[in-house]
């Protein structure tokens, strides 16, 4: 069974996709709970994270792992330590972890490194922290904008992939859209002035998004636990499987990307087990 949900190339014709390739595995919205075995909306979120990592790492050995927020649902140093321990069972390479609205910065930072950037072959993976402790809404900080601008003007032949938690665009779901990066349109517009910016990837929406703004690929990724129904008008849980995204970054600046879902997972949604 081919459980691939999307495969696209941006920045270059697919026939031209060649040369040195760096592979990044994106996982997002893991929502780990205070104790192993606890469930959220019926889903054992640690178990589904293991299912995602197990399947993904059987497909490729990535050069880096990207986690785009809501790593913890019950944020504490113990939960972030459990996240790193679970990941380490499958992958021990470089990792960039960005906070989401369910994360708390102090306990997260006590375990995980600051989400500034990862330097990969020919690429910079730039983390942008749009979270605010105890607030669902996105915040685009002037310091992050300044850092992105600096990276754009000093890229010197490297390609840039930006990673954040909140979507920079509207997705057609008002209950999700109200917490997007409100300045996302302006952000994408000035980023598009730089040919080195190839993509922006996010989480939060618990669904696959593959679109573009001018030459920039705009990519949202399914959660490693439960999903939201695309274009739903109110909070609505989907029955699609936990997922993840492969990002194959070519040294010619093109991105080949593929969202995949775990196969044969016993997903059981129970709305009485609240979010
Ligand atoms: Fe989330």
């Amino acid at each position: 069974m081919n459980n691939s949900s999307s495969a696209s190339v941006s920045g270059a014709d697919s026939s031209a996709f060649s040369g040195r390739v760096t592979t990044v595995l994106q996982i997002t919205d893991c929502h780990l709970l205070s104790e192993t075995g606890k469930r959220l909306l019926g889903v054992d979120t640690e178990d589904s994270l293991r299912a995602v990592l197990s399947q993904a790492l059987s497909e490729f050995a990535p050069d880096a792992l990207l986690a785009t927020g809501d790593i913890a649902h019950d944020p504490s140093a113990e939960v972030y330590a459990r996240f790193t321990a679970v990941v380490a069972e499958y992958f021990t390479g470089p990792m960039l972890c960005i906070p989401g609205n369910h994360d708390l910065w102090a306990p997260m930072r006590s375990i995980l490194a600051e989400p500034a950037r990862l330097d990969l072959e020919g690429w910079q993976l730039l983390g942008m922290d749009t979270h605010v402790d105890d607030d669902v809404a996105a915040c685009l900080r002037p310091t992050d904008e300044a850092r992105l601008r600096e990276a754009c003007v000093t890229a010197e032949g490297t390609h840039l992939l930006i990673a954040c938690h909140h979507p920079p665009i509207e997705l057609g779901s008002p209950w999700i859209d109200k917490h997007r990066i409100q300045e996302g349109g302006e952000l994408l517009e000035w980023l598009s002035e730089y040919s080195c910016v190839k993509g922006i990837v996010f989480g939060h929406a618990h669904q696959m998004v593959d679109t573009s703004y001018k030459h920039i690929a705009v990519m949202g990724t399914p959660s490693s636990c439960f999903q939201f129904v695309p274009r739903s008008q109110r909070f609505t849980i989907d029955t699609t499987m936990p997922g993840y995204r492969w990002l194959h970054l070519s040294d010619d600046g093109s991105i080949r990307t593929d969202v995949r879902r775990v196969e044969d997972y016993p997903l059981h949604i129970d709305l009485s087990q609240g979010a």
Side-chain angles (χ1 to χ4, degrees), residues 153-167:
V153 298
T154 60
E156 292 179 351
T158 60
H159 311 292
L160 306 186
L161 176 62
I162 296 161
C164 57
H165 179 68
H166 295 83

Side-chain angles (χ1 to χ4, degrees), residues 28-31 69-70 101-102 165 203-206 223 226 228:
T28 193
D29 295 272
C30 309
H31 289 270
D70 286 359
N101 50 286
H102 283 279
H165 179 68
H204 187 67
H206 292 228
S223 161
F226 50 81
F228 301 146

Side-chain angles (χ1 to χ4, degrees), residues 32-149:
L32 292 187
L33 297 157
S34 57
E35 294 167 28
T36 292
K38 276 184 78 175
R39 290 174 180 267
L40 183 64
L41 297 172
V43 181
D44 180 334
T45 56
E46 183 176 327
D47 189 55
S48 65
L49 173 61
R50 286 180 193 278
V52 159
L53 291 169
S54 175
Q55 180 174 304
L57 273 293
S58 74
E59 296 167 342
F60 289 104
D63 297 291
L65 187 140
L66 169 66
T68 43
D70 286 359
I71 289 167
H73 193 80
D74 298 329
S76 69
E78 292 72 24
V79 171
Y80 293 112
R82 209 165 77 243
F83 170 77
T84 58
V86 170
V87 170
E89 292 175 25
Y90 301 90
F91 178 74
T92 55
M95 186 160 66
L96 187 70
C97 296
I98 292 154
N101 50 286
H102 283 279
D103 293 304
L104 285 178
W105 186 227
M108 183 171 165
R109 187 169 53 177
S110 74
I111 302 295
L112 296 162
E114 189 118 1
R117 73 187 241 186
L118 273 184
D119 290 307
L120 305 168
E121 286 226 37
W123 284 78
Q124 295 177 45
L125 184 52
L126 296 174
M128 185 168 71
D129 177 5
T130 57
H131 107 291
V132 178
D133 280 357
D134 299 315
D135 193 347
V136 184
C139 172
L140 183 59
R141 294 174 172 83
T143 48
D144 266 321
E145 265 199 279
R147 193 166 56 84
L148 290 185
R149 284 187 187 275

Side-chain angles (χ1 to χ4, degrees), residues 181-202:
I181 302 171
Q182 297 297 323
E183 311 87 343
E186 295 93 322
L187 172 70
L188 287 167
E189 179 56 31
W190 73 253
L191 285 172
S192 72
E193 294 169 10
Y194 297 92
S195 60
C196 60
V197 179
K198 303 301 186 187
I200 183 164
V201 63
F202 57 88

